[in-house]
Amino acid sequence: MSGLVVWVIMEAASFCEFRFYEELNDFLPRDQRKRTFRHGFDGTPSVKDRIESLGVPHTEVDLVLVDGEPVGFDHLLHGGERVAVYPAFERFDLTGVSPLRPRPLRVPRFVADVHLGRLASLLRLLGFDCRYENDGADEALVAVSVAETRILLTRDVGLLRRSAVTHGAFVHATDPRLQLREILDRFDLRKRIAPFTRCARCNGVLVPVDRAAVTVPDSVAERHTRFTRCDGCGQVYWPGTHVARLRRRLAEIGIGM
């Protein structure tokens, strides 16, 4: 009996050349950072699929060029292309240049995950709208981000990879003050700083109130004439010694207020 010969033909993997820029390199292995490298794959995956397979959340990407032309996340790769990936440019309007984010946020608002409570408080103290719950589940954070068009702030890469998230930012720093500086710089917010206009506790808006309308210790009433009250939780504020202390601590890292 003659033997049966079986031929198995395997499709060879395709390759593209990838290059990631600026802070996107932080998500890559060291041997892939700040250099062009080959990346193999099977079939015809989307650009988004390959970018996230390499460890970079789609929310961190604002422009992808394939062979020099801007493409969307759904662009399919066939092999042989050169792919350049650039980080989010919230401070610039890339409408008409990048198809990835057609409606950049003109008035940034935030929602912070459970690990960024101090950052949320600092953002509020500088006047920025930042929602935060110390027991917020991932699903709830994503829902708030999408429903209210808020930028999701997190140090959880997996959270930013969720397809529903359209605006998000990975926070690289671990110190809250450095986190604040990072967010101010990334979203070009320094000109928008309006200190002590939001409640650090609940994110409500602070409104001026007369001395007669608030109950404060006599020692406070003797030294202060300007008071504000949160329209959400009712907390009363006045310009105490904590204001100078906060200004000094922020000035140490280059943030004026």
Side-chain angles (χ1 to χ4, degrees):
M1 178 189 296
S2 60
L4 179 63
V5 178
V6 179
W7 294 90
V8 178
I9 301 177
M10 299 185 65
E11 181 180 359
S14 300
F15 291 88
C16 281
E17 289 188 347
F18 273 82
R19 175 70 161 87
F20 289 82
Y21 289 87
E22 304 303 330
E23 60 266 27
L24 297 183
N25 286 279
D26 294 344
F27 298 101
L28 302 174
R30 290 191 178 277
D31 63 347
Q32 294 178 344
R33 295 178 184 175
K34 299 181 179 181
R35 60 181 292 268
T36 298
F37 61 89
R38 296 183 76 198
H39 173 63
F41 53 85
D42 295 320
T44 55
S46 67
V47 164
K48 179 182 176 182
D49 174 79
R50 290 299 86 197
I51 288 174
E52 294 204 319
S53 76
L54 289 166
V56 180
H58 68 276
T59 55
E60 301 299 288
V61 177
D62 221 17
L63 177 64
V64 178
L65 300 180
V66 174
D67 293 332
E69 295 295 328
V71 301
F73 279 132
D74 58 352
H75 181 85
L76 300 181
L77 298 173
H78 299 275
E81 298 97 334
R82 294 177 60 88
V83 183
V85 188
Y86 295 87
F89 298 114
E90 284 286 346
R91 71 184 66 181
F92 301 116
D93 184 358
L94 295 182
T95 303
V97 177
S98 173
L100 303 185
R101 191 170 302 165
R103 290 177 294 180
L105 301 182
R106 290 307 181 200
V107 181
R109 302 187 302 164
F110 304 95
V111 54
D113 77 9
V114 296
H115 303 293
L116 298 176
R118 182 56 181 156
L119 170 61
S121 295
L122 289 172
L123 283 168
R124 291 170 176 176
L125 284 170
L126 295 190
F128 297 105
D129 185 345
C130 183
R131 288 194 53 175
Y132 171 79
E133 300 291 341
N134 60 12
D135 58 352
D138 288 355
E139 293 76 11
L141 292 171
V142 173
V144 168
S145 174
V146 174
E148 301 181 12
T149 320
R150 291 178 179 270
I151 299 168
L152 176 57
L153 303 177
T154 182
R155 285 183 48 79
D156 183 350
V157 175
L159 187 55
L160 293 179
R161 289 179 184 168
R162 298 198 177 201
S163 59
V165 179
T166 57
H167 294 81
F170 180 83
V171 181
H172 296 258
T174 56
D175 180 279
R177 291 186 303 162
L178 298 181
Q179 291 174 341
L180 178 64
R181 186 173 69 183
E182 181 181 331
I183 297 304
L184 293 179
D185 290 343
R186 171 165 176 173
F187 297 104
D188 198 24
L189 298 178
R190 291 180 186 253
K191 293 181 180 179
R192 295 178 181 269
I193 291 176
F196 311 115
T197 56
R198 281 194 176 273
C199 178
R201 294 175 56 183
C202 79
N203 198 42
V205 176
L206 301 185
V207 295
V209 291
D210 293 333
R211 163 66 185 87
V214 299
T215 301
V216 296
D218 291 340
S219 58
V220 172
E222 292 172 358
R223 289 179 288 129
H224 300 283
T225 58
R226 294 184 294 113
F227 298 89
T228 56
R229 181 164 54 201
C230 174
D231 66 359
C233 68
Q235 175 72 24
V236 176
Y237 292 86
W238 59 90
T241 56
H242 65 284
V243 173
R245 185 166 59 251
L246 178 62
R247 290 182 189 275
R248 183 173 62 254
R249 293 199 66 204
L250 294 182
E252 291 173 356
I253 58 169
I255 299 175
M257 55 176 291

